[in-house]
Amino acid sequence: MQRDTGFLIRRIYDAVDDVDALPDVLAGLCERIGGESGILGTLMKASGPLPFAVLFHLDPALMPTLNARHLNNVWRQHMVTLPVGIPAASDSFVSFDQVRRTDFYGEILEPWDIGHAALFVVDDMPKFHVAMSIHRSRTRGPFTSTELEASQKLLPHLKRAMQLRLLLERSHEQEKLALQALDQLAAGVVLVDSQARVLFANMAAQEIAAAGDVLVLTDGTVKPRLREQGGIFRGLVASAIAGKPGGWLLLSRPSPQLPVSALVTPLAGRLAASFAAQGRLGAAAVLLSDLEGQASSSTEHLRSLYKLSPTEARVAWLITRSTSVGRVARALGIAPETVRTHLKHIYAKTGVNRQSALAYLVGAAAVARVPSALSPVRGIQSFKDME
């Protein structure tokens, strides 16, 4: 039974955010004009394989051969000259007798039992065409003008749905790139909704949670390890979700380790818009600063950027957290005069001559993560060793 127009239009717009609806759309279009199989996809204007294709009643095993040998087939050569939204029968360009003498027929059409096609340019974009072909066997004969006209009510909706799908895919790609960038930060980042459900946690945040001494990530939610800090944390999230400033919270750790500072702030911009488009309204960002964990990132980056030795990198990190050469010497178990010698080398290699300038360089080096395979800071049991 042929599906009615209203149903097909609804399914066309379902395909905007549900790629699984496209085969159903293609099936409905085939039924509408008397086709037996079909393909809907993007044809790049430059040479290259089909980056996106949906098949109906076609064996996908032939797609590699189509991409490798027959993308510029005789049907395509004529199809890309068609006006958008105006279908044409393949037989109006080239007869079946001509087509069956080609390798395209022997390697693609004959195995797919295709003799005739209705060809469509759904949309013409700067770098590609959104194109569709609907087929039937040679025994069924060419598509008629009446059959082609039966698609006209649906083509404008298909064009608009594919445009919307492209915009949505671009938004998803921007979201993916933004989240990948967050994964490179040394600071922990957790994106949560109004119920403190985790929308995203970057690698640094996952590592902080994995230690089990500050945060608990469980059942898709995040909360402080200490129960008494839970209410404060939820209040800050609720404030940020409501568009208010949010606030700071020091997440306690077992002594002697330093606490992790958490800044809860409203999530705005493209990433928030992308979450909203997916129905995830209201989001906040929790930014986690773990000085102990960032020591490894900072010292490794200092070594790479300024060719510091491992000890020089540790001295640079520690001296910016203390004004006392003596404290640095005690933390590393070396003599104060040795620390001063290392500082002379550090200043020479970094091009600065003041501790305040060195602190700026160290802070900048702590922004990005280093791979976990790199060696952690050695010789410092805790920042409490500096006291």
Side-chain angles (χ1 to χ4, degrees), residues 251-334:
L251 300 173
S252 300
R253 266 179 166 156
S255 182
Q257 293 179 308
L258 294 176
V260 171
S261 66
L263 170 62
V264 184
T265 183
L267 184 66
R270 288 186 176 180
L271 198 53
S274 179
F275 284 139
Q278 300 170 47
R280 295 181 283 185
L281 300 176
V286 181
L287 309 179
L288 304 167
S289 180
D290 177 12
L291 289 179
E292 304 223 23
Q294 289 173 13
S296 175
S297 292
S298 182
T299 53
E300 291 293 348
H301 288 173
L302 288 170
R303 290 179 59 187
S304 175
L305 289 170
Y306 302 108
K307 310 304 180 186
L308 302 185
S309 71
T311 302
E312 289 169 349
R314 294 196 291 271
V315 168
W317 169 261
L318 290 172
I319 198 67
T320 61
R321 268 114 187 107
S322 172
T323 58
S324 168
V325 169
R327 288 183 177 181
V328 175
R330 288 194 299 275
L332 293 176
I334 58 179

Side-chain angles (χ1 to χ4, degrees), residues 1-55:
M1 180 179 177
Q2 190 178 95
R3 285 166 267 203
D4 64 56
T5 300
F7 174 83
L8 284 177
I9 290 174
R10 289 193 296 274
R11 289 301 285 160
I12 285 172
Y13 287 108
D14 285 343
V16 170
D17 62 355
D18 180 10
V19 70
D20 293 334
L22 282 174
D24 199 31
V25 169
L26 196 52
L29 286 164
C30 286
E31 292 173 0
R32 180 59 56 99
I33 70 170
E36 297 169 334
S37 64
I39 182 169
L40 170 67
T42 52
L43 295 177
M44 303 304 297
K45 293 183 178 180
S47 60
L50 294 173
F52 171 77
V54 175
L55 307 181

Side-chain angles (χ1 to χ4, degrees), residues 219-279:
D219 297 327
T221 64
V222 59
K223 60 183 179 181
R225 180 186 63 86
L226 295 181
R227 184 175 300 177
E228 56 267 29
Q229 293 186 318
I232 300 172
F233 179 76
R234 289 191 297 273
L236 293 176
V237 169
S239 173
I241 293 290
K244 298 177 182 178
W248 290 91
L249 176 64
L250 282 177
L251 300 173
S252 300
R253 266 179 166 156
S255 182
Q257 293 179 308
L258 294 176
V260 171
S261 66
L263 170 62
V264 184
T265 183
L267 184 66
R270 288 186 176 180
L271 198 53
S274 179
F275 284 139
Q278 300 170 47

Side-chain angles (χ1 to χ4, degrees), residues 13 15-17 157-170:
Y13 287 108
V16 170
D17 62 355
H157 297 286
L158 183 59
K159 174 183 176 180
R160 183 58 179 156
M162 296 304 289
Q163 290 173 341
L164 292 172
R165 178 166 183 80
L166 177 62
L167 290 173
L168 187 61
E169 287 178 349
R170 286 175 177 169

Side-chain angles (χ1 to χ4, degrees), residues 34-106:
E36 297 169 334
S37 64
I39 182 169
L40 170 67
T42 52
L43 295 177
M44 303 304 297
K45 293 183 178 180
S47 60
L50 294 173
F52 171 77
V54 175
L55 307 181
F56 172 66
H57 281 179
L58 294 175
D59 182 3
L62 289 180
M63 288 302 295
T65 303
L66 177 64
N67 281 323
R69 290 173 45 82
H70 299 294
L71 274 184
N72 195 34
N73 61 74
V74 64
W75 283 356
R76 173 182 174 158
Q77 292 172 26
H78 292 288
M79 178 166 58
V80 296
T81 67
L82 294 174
V84 172
I86 306 298
S90 60
D91 295 80
S92 65
F93 298 116
V94 56
S95 69
F96 171 74
D97 287 338
Q98 292 172 299
V99 171
R100 70 177 178 179
R101 291 196 290 269
T102 65
D103 290 339
F104 172 52
Y105 178 78

Side-chain angles (χ1 to χ4, degrees), residues 154-225:
L154 299 172
L155 291 179
H157 297 286
L158 183 59
K159 174 183 176 180
R160 183 58 179 156
M162 296 304 289
Q163 290 173 341
L164 292 172
R165 178 166 183 80
L166 177 62
L167 290 173
L168 187 61
E169 287 178 349
R170 286 175 177 169
S171 176
H172 286 167
E173 186 62 26
Q174 290 174 345
E175 176 188 330
K176 179 180 177 182
L177 292 173
L179 297 179
Q180 287 177 343
L182 292 179
D183 256 341
Q184 305 309 310
L185 297 179
V189 180
V190 183
L191 306 181
V192 298
D193 65 12
S194 58
Q195 303 302 314
R197 290 187 293 257
V198 176
L199 304 176
F200 169 80
N202 73 348
M203 291 297 297
Q206 292 180 44
E207 290 174 358
I208 292 171
D213 58 356
V214 176
L215 284 179
V216 177
L217 287 173
T218 182
D219 297 327
T221 64
V222 59
K223 60 183 179 181
R225 180 186 63 86

